[in-house]
Amino acid sequence: MRQTVEKFGYVEYGASILEPTELYKAKTGEEIINEQTYSFKDRGDRDVTLRPEMTPTVARMIAHKKRELSFPLRWYSIPNLFRYEKPQKGRLREHWQLNVDLFGIENLNAEIEIITIASEIMEAFGAKDTDFEIRINSRKNLQQIIESKIKKTEFYTKAIKLLDKKDKMSEEDFTKLWSEISDESPDFEQNQPQNIKELIEKLNKQDINNVIYDPILARGFDYYTDIVFEIYDTNKENPRALFGGGRYNDLLDIFGAEKVPAIGFGMGDVTIGDFLKTRNLIPEYKPTATLYIAHAEGTDFETINNIAKKIRDIGVNTIVDITDKKVSDQIKRASKENVLYSLTIGEKEIQSGIFSLKNMQTGEMKELQEKELFNELRSI
Amino acid sequence: MRQTVEKFGYVEYGASILEPTELYKAKTGEEIINEQTYSFKDRGDRDVTLRPEMTPTVARMIAHKKRELSFPLRWYSIPNLFRYEKPQKGRLREHWQLNVDLFGIENLNAEIEIITIASEIMEAFGAKDTDFEIRINSRKNLQQIIESKIKKTEFYTKAIKLLDKKDKMSEEDFTKLWSEISDESPDFEQNQPQNIKELIEKLNKQDINNVIYDPILARGFDYYTDIVFEIYDTNKENPRALFGGGRYNDLLDIFGAEKVPAIGFGMGDVTIGDFLKTRNLIPEYKPTATLYIAHAEGTDFETINNIAKKIRDIGVNTIVDITDKKVSDQIKRASKENVLYSLTIGEKEIQSGIFSLKNMQTGEMKELQEKELFNELRSI
C-alpha cells in the first residue's frame, strides 16, 4: 500500500489516536456522539474519543494550517481506528486503514488519480481486474433522486443509510423499509450523470475497464458531496464493499477554513485481508535476517561479533547465535529463522581465514576466504 | 532505528494500544493503578488503559504463546504510549518509543548484544561516542546495598525511586529525602560486581569504550532483576537519561508462564529528538517524489498519465500536475515539492517523442528520446 501511494508522490502524515469527542459531533452536526465509539473523560475532564475514522482528523489538521500549506496536497496515512461494535466478519473493534487524500483539486483529474491509485493497489496485491469491480455514483445526483421520492425531507439521511445497507439485506426487507420512507418505487436507473460518463470514459482510456455506474451507491458518511466509489469483490458470495471513498468538498468549512476541494479513500486491513486470503494473495512472510552465524564450542564471541559487525555494515541483516547450544542445534535454529545463509565460526575458521557459507535452501556449502566471503555477501 | 535493529535480525511485532487495566496492576503488584495513565471503562464495562509502556504487553504476549514460540526471540516495536502528566521538556502525553527485547538468553552475551544495538543506533543517528555515555549497574547489587542501609524493609521502593530522580534534584534535597529513609550515608561506591566488570571489558573489546559503572543507577521500573543501563548525554546541561533498559527475568512469571530470561530497552522519540536537535543531527526530510510532470495547456491527460504509469513502474515516484495552472506555476510547485527532476509534456513532446528532463537542483536540461529518458530515470 505504502509503495503504491508513494509512487504517486503521496506523503505520509500522522496524528494522535486520541481526539476531542467534539470533532465527530462537528462533522455529523448531531448532538449525540455515535454509540459505537470508544469515548471517555480524561483526567482533565475532557471528552475524548479513540478515532473511529481518519477523515475528520486530516480535515481538521489541514483546516488549521491552511494558510501555511500550499495546495494541492497529496497525503496518506495508515492509522489504527477503534469502533465499539460486535466483532464480526470484516469488522473488528480495532483495525488499520490506509487513508489516501488529495486536497485542492476541483477538476475530474483528481477523481481519476484517486481511483487509479485504488486500482493499482489492488493490482500490486496481485488481484486481476476480473477479481474486483469499481462502482461509481454521484452522491449529488442520488440526492436529487431521493429528494424527489421521499415522503418528508427529514427522511433523507434514513434513505442514504438504507441504500448503503441494501446489499446486506434481503430484497423483501429492503422493500419494506423503503416503503416506510417513500411512496414511489426504489428505482434509480436514470441517464448517467455527465461527470460519471466522462470519468468512466477516461478511466477506460487508461486501461481501467472494470468500472461501472451504480446509481444507488451511497456510502455511509454524511460528508460526501459528489462522486463516490466503492471497490467490490466480483465473487458474488462476498457482496460487501471492500473499500471506497469519494469527494468531500465541504468538510473543511466546519473547521472555519475556506472551502478546500477534497477527495480520498480509506482501505481497511480486515476486509482487504479477507479478500486476499480467499484469493490466496496474502504476501509471503519475509524474514528480517539473511544470515545466521553459529559458533563452535569455546569460540571467542568478541571475534564473532566483530565479523558480524562488518557483515551488518555492508547491509546484510545478521543474527549471531549467542546460546550455549551445540552447532547442530544452532543450525536447526537458523533454518527455523528462515535465513538464506548460515556461517559457522570456530577457532579453525578464525586461524585459517577460510569460512564456509551454507546456502540454507540448497544445502550447498562454499569455502571462501574472508574477502571472497564479503564479495559473496555483498552480491545477495 | 528500524534499520539498525533489523541488522541484528530483530523482528517487528504489534499490539493494540488498548490494554486491560489489570495488566499494569499485575506488573506492579499494587492494587491502585498509576495516577498517570489514561484509564477508563469501555462500553462493555471493562477497565481499560491506553498503554503507558510496552514491556508488560510484550511480556504478556510471549507468556501466552510460550509453547508455540521457539527461543531465543529477538523482537522490536515502535509503539505510541500515553501518560497523563504535565507536558514538559522531554515528556509529552503521547510519545513513540522503540522497544527492543531479547527473550530466552540467560548469559551475558544478551547484555552485550542489547547494549551494542543501543550504541549502534546512536551512531547511526550520527552521534559520536564522545556525545553520549553508557552507564551500567547491577540492580541486584544495588538492592543489597540499599537493604543494608534503609531503616525499614518497606522503604526499598522509595529508595529506588529516590535514586532514580537523584540527577534531577539538588544535592541538598536529595540528602534531606535520603535521611528520611536511611541513617547511613548515601555512599554506594564499592567494588564493581563481577558481571559488570566482565560486561564492560567485553564491550571495550568490541570498541564500545564509552561505558562506565554507575553504582547508584536504578531505573524506575520495579521489574528489573539484575543489569540495568542508561544512555546519558555527555553535555552536562542535559543531565537526564536519554533512554535505557535492563534485564527482567521474572516478568513473565506473573502471566503464568515458566521463567523466561529477558532483557531489553526502550528509546523514546521526544528525548532522543531533543538530543539530536541540540547536536544538529536531525535527519534531513526526504521528499517522497523524485519526478514532477508538468503539462502544456490543452495536453491530453490520458497520454501523460500513461507515461507517468510507465515511469512509476520502473520505480520512480512521480507526481503529475493535474491543476489548470500555467507551466511556470507548475514548475514553481515542483520546486516546492523538492523533487529532483521535472518534465514538461505537451503536444510537441508527444508528437516528436523528445522530452526535456530538468534537473531541479542545477537547472540543467537534457533533451532525450523516450528510450533515453527511461534509461536516465532508471539510473537515478
Side-chain angles (χ1 to χ4, degrees):
Chain A
M1 293 191 295
R2 237 175 245 289
Q3 254 175 26
T4 303
V5 296
E6 294 196 348
K7 269 164 82 174
F8 287 78
Y10 283 66
V11 174
E12 190 168 10
Y13 67 94
S16 177
I17 196 175
L18 208 57
E19 287 283 3
T21 303
E22 228 179 40
L23 181 64
Y24 306 101
K25 290 183 189 166
K27 195 206 74 191
T28 58
E30 290 169 31
E31 271 311 299
I32 41 149
I33 175 74
N34 190 319
E35 283 294 306
Q36 295 186 337
T37 58
Y38 278 87
S39 295
F40 62 101
K41 269 196 198 302
D42 76 3
R43 291 183 195 269
D45 213 31
R46 297 173 199 87
D47 288 304
V48 289
T49 295
L50 299 182
R51 62 180 168 223
E53 51 156 333
M54 198 63 171
T55 309
T57 297
V58 70
R60 169 182 62 71
M61 287 167 72
I62 289 184
H64 286 189
K65 296 274 182 188
K66 189 172 180 289
R67 289 190 185 175
E68 296 157 50
L69 294 167
S70 79
F71 293 88
L73 281 179
R74 289 171 168 87
W75 278 17
Y76 85 93
S77 191
I78 310 183
N80 52 340
L81 308 173
F82 280 85
R83 294 193 186 179
Y84 196 87
E85 57 181 348
K86 211 178 159 200
Q88 52 189 293
K89 188 171 169 9
R91 318 262 307 167
L92 296 181
R93 285 189 173 154
E94 179 181 12
H95 78 291
W96 296 77
Q97 188 184 64
L98 168 70
N99 279 259
V100 182
D101 293 278
L102 172 51
F103 298 92
I105 302 280
E106 187 89 52
N107 69 48
L108 211 59
N109 289 326
E111 273 79 357
I112 295 171
E113 179 166 310
I114 283 290
I115 292 172
T116 303
I117 294 173
S119 168
E120 288 210 8
I121 292 174
M122 293 298 285
E123 280 171 26
F125 274 127
K128 292 185 296 290
D129 65 0
T130 48
D131 292 336
F132 65 98
E133 75 188 10
I134 304 165
R135 302 189 189 170
I136 303 184
N137 195 15
S138 158
R139 182 77 169 250
K140 208 183 256 169
N141 193 56
L142 180 63
Q143 181 170 357
Q144 284 165 4
I145 305 178
I146 291 175
E147 282 170 356
S148 72
K149 287 179 183 279
I150 50 179
K151 296 179 198 172
K152 293 181 186 171
T153 325
E154 307 92 87
F155 287 169
Y156 177 68
T157 309
K158 229 177 170 173
I160 285 283
K161 299 240 183 287
L162 179 60
L163 290 179
D164 195 41
K165 286 183 189 138
K166 186 171 184 291
D167 284 337
K168 295 173 215 156
M169 57 177 73
S170 67
E171 192 67 33
E172 214 179 350
D173 284 351
F174 176 77
T175 312
K176 187 167 161 281
L177 289 166
W178 178 257
S179 68
E180 289 171 12
I181 54 177
S182 170
D183 293 326
E184 300 194 34
S185 86
D187 174 23
F188 294 84
E189 292 295 340
Q190 292 214 345
N191 287 335
Q192 279 186 34
Q194 185 49 39
N195 59 352
I196 296 281
K197 200 182 281 177
E198 196 182 328
L199 178 56
I200 293 180
E201 268 173 31
K202 287 187 167 171
L203 287 168
N204 289 345
K205 276 194 194 157
Q206 285 176 216
D207 214 24
I208 297 177
N209 297 305
N210 50 347
V211 208
I212 57 163
Y213 167 50
D214 178 354
I216 71 154
L217 182 74
R219 291 216 32 93
F221 297 119
D222 285 347
Y223 46 67
Y224 290 115
T225 51
D226 195 357
I227 283 176
V228 288
F229 69 96
E230 284 186 333
I231 313 291
Y232 272 76
D233 192 341
T234 47
N235 177 355
K236 293 302 167 208
E237 283 170 29
N238 186 22
R240 294 190 45 152
L242 298 174
F243 66 100
R247 192 173 267 285
Y248 54 99
N249 284 349
D250 298 339
L251 191 54
L252 272 72
D253 306 18
I254 304 176
F255 306 105
E258 299 144 64
K259 226 180 181 60
V260 176
I263 178 170
F265 70 88
M267 183 184 200
D269 63 340
V270 182
T271 354
I272 203 68
D274 287 343
F275 170 84
L276 296 176
K277 258 174 240 156
T278 50
R279 303 270 173 180
N280 215 6
L281 292 173
I282 292 283
E284 218 179 310
Y285 171 73
K286 232 175 104 189
T288 303
T290 307
L291 176 70
Y292 196 96
I293 300 183
H295 55 87
E297 211 185 324
T299 312
D300 183 21
F301 269 105
E302 281 79 54
T303 315
I304 293 178
N305 284 342
N306 286 331
I307 294 172
K309 185 175 164 49
K310 282 195 259 171
I311 293 174
R312 288 173 182 136
D313 284 349
I314 60 166
V316 178
N317 294 349
T318 302
I319 296 174
V320 173
D321 191 308
I322 55 176
T323 66
D324 309 319
K325 291 180 184 154
K326 288 185 300 186
V327 171
S328 60
D329 287 336
Q330 296 178 50
I331 298 299
K332 264 184 212 149
R333 177 71 195 169
S335 107
K336 271 203 177 157
E337 293 276 1
N338 270 311
V339 294
L340 298 177
Y341 296 92
S342 72
L343 201 59
T344 302
I345 301 182
E347 284 310 318
K348 198 188 94 198
E349 285 76 13
I350 295 171
Q351 295 306 324
S352 67
I354 294 170
F355 298 87
S356 85
L357 184 68
K358 181 175 180 180
N359 182 319
M360 294 296 286
Q361 274 152 344
T362 63
E364 186 203 0
M365 304 278 271
K366 269 190 191 171
E367 302 280 311
L368 301 163
Q369 296 207 317
E370 188 165 336
K371 209 179 152 185
E372 295 168 328
L373 174 68
F374 277 84
N375 286 339
E376 187 77 20
L377 291 172
R378 239 181 238 109
S379 73
I380 294 174
Chain B
M1 294 193 296
R2 237 176 245 289
Q3 253 174 29
T4 303
V5 296
E6 293 196 350
K7 269 164 80 173
F8 286 78
Y10 283 65
V11 174
E12 191 168 10
Y13 66 94
S16 177
I17 196 175
L18 207 57
E19 285 283 5
T21 303
E22 227 180 41
L23 181 64
Y24 306 101
K25 290 184 187 165
K27 193 207 74 190
T28 59
E30 289 169 33
E31 271 311 299
I32 40 152
I33 176 75
N34 191 318
E35 282 295 305
Q36 294 184 340
T37 56
Y38 279 87
S39 294
F40 61 101
K41 268 196 197 304
D42 76 4
R43 292 184 194 267
D45 213 32
R46 297 174 197 85
D47 289 304
V48 289
T49 295
L50 299 182
R51 62 181 168 222
E53 51 156 331
M54 199 63 171
T55 309
T57 297
V58 69
R60 169 183 59 73
M61 286 167 74
I62 288 183
H64 285 190
K65 297 273 181 187
K66 190 172 178 288
R67 290 192 185 173
E68 295 157 50
L69 294 167
S70 78
F71 293 88
L73 280 179
R74 290 171 166 87
W75 277 17
Y76 84 93
S77 191
I78 310 182
N80 52 339
L81 308 173
F82 280 85
R83 293 193 188 181
Y84 196 89
E85 58 182 346
K86 213 179 155 196
Q88 52 189 293
K89 188 171 168 7
R91 317 273 292 176
L92 296 181
R93 286 190 172 154
E94 179 182 12
H95 78 291
W96 295 77
Q97 189 184 64
L98 169 69
N99 278 259
V100 182
D101 292 278
L102 172 51
F103 298 92
I105 302 280
E106 186 89 50
N107 70 47
L108 211 59
N109 289 327
E111 273 80 356
I112 295 171
E113 178 166 309
I114 283 291
I115 292 172
T116 303
I117 294 172
S119 169
E120 288 210 8
I121 291 174
M122 293 299 285
E123 280 171 26
F125 275 128
K128 293 186 296 289
D129 65 0
T130 49
D131 292 336
F132 65 98
E133 74 188 11
I134 304 164
R135 302 190 189 167
I136 302 183
N137 195 17
S138 158
R139 183 79 170 251
K140 207 183 259 171
N141 193 55
L142 179 63
Q143 179 170 356
Q144 285 166 4
I145 305 177
I146 291 175
E147 282 171 353
S148 73
K149 285 179 184 281
I150 50 181
K151 296 179 199 173
K152 290 181 188 171
T153 325
E154 308 90 85
F155 287 170
Y156 177 68
T157 308
K158 229 175 170 173
I160 285 282
K161 300 241 182 288
L162 179 60
L163 291 178
D164 194 42
K165 286 184 188 134
K166 187 172 185 291
D167 284 336
K168 294 171 214 156
M169 57 177 74
S170 68
E171 191 68 33
E172 215 179 348
D173 284 350
F174 176 78
T175 313
K176 188 168 162 281
L177 289 167
W178 178 257
S179 69
E180 288 171 14
I181 54 175
S182 170
D183 293 326
E184 301 193 34
S185 85
D187 174 22
F188 293 83
E189 293 293 341
Q190 291 214 348
N191 288 335
Q192 280 186 33
Q194 184 51 36
N195 58 353
I196 297 281
K197 199 180 281 176
E198 195 181 330
L199 178 57
I200 293 180
E201 268 174 29
K202 288 186 168 173
L203 287 169
N204 290 345
K205 277 194 194 157
Q206 285 176 217
D207 214 24
I208 297 177
N209 297 306
N210 52 346
V211 208
I212 58 162
Y213 168 50
D214 178 354
I216 71 154
L217 181 73
R219 286 205 53 79
F221 296 118
D222 285 346
Y223 47 67
Y224 291 115
T225 51
D226 194 359
I227 283 176
V228 288
F229 69 96
E230 283 186 334
I231 313 291
Y232 273 76
D233 193 342
T234 47
N235 177 356
K236 292 303 167 209
E237 284 169 31
N238 186 22
R240 295 191 43 152
L242 298 174
F243 66 99
R247 192 172 268 284
Y248 54 99
N249 285 349
D250 298 338
L251 190 53
L252 274 72
D253 305 19
I254 304 176
F255 306 105
E258 296 144 65
K259 227 183 182 59
V260 177
I263 178 169
F265 70 89
M267 182 183 201
D269 63 340
V270 183
T271 353
I272 202 69
D274 288 344
F275 170 84
L276 296 176
K277 258 175 241 155
T278 52
R279 305 268 173 181
N280 216 4
L281 292 173
I282 291 282
E284 218 178 310
Y285 170 73
K286 233 173 105 190
T288 303
T290 307
L291 176 69
Y292 197 95
I293 300 183
H295 55 89
E297 211 184 323
T299 312
D300 183 21
F301 269 105
E302 279 81 51
T303 315
I304 293 180
N305 283 341
N306 286 331
I307 294 172
K309 185 176 165 48
K310 282 195 257 171
I311 294 174
R312 288 174 182 136
D313 283 349
I314 61 166
V316 178
N317 294 348
T318 302
I319 296 174
V320 172
D321 192 306
I322 54 175
T323 66
D324 309 318
K325 291 181 183 153
K326 289 186 300 186
V327 172
S328 60
D329 287 337
Q330 295 178 50
I331 298 297
K332 265 184 210 149
R333 176 69 195 171
S335 108
K336 270 202 177 158
E337 293 276 0
N338 271 310
V339 293
L340 298 176
Y341 296 92
S342 73
L343 199 59
T344 303
I345 301 181
E347 284 309 319
K348 200 187 94 199
E349 285 76 13
I350 294 171
Q351 294 306 324
S352 67
I354 293 171
F355 299 86
S356 85
L357 185 69
K358 181 175 181 180
N359 182 318
M360 294 296 289
Q361 275 152 345
T362 63
E364 185 204 359
M365 304 277 270
K366 269 190 191 171
E367 302 279 313
L368 301 163
Q369 297 207 316
E370 189 168 332
K371 208 179 151 183
E372 295 169 330
L373 173 69
F374 277 84
N375 286 337
E376 187 77 21
L377 291 172
R378 236 180 241 111
S379 74
I380 294 173

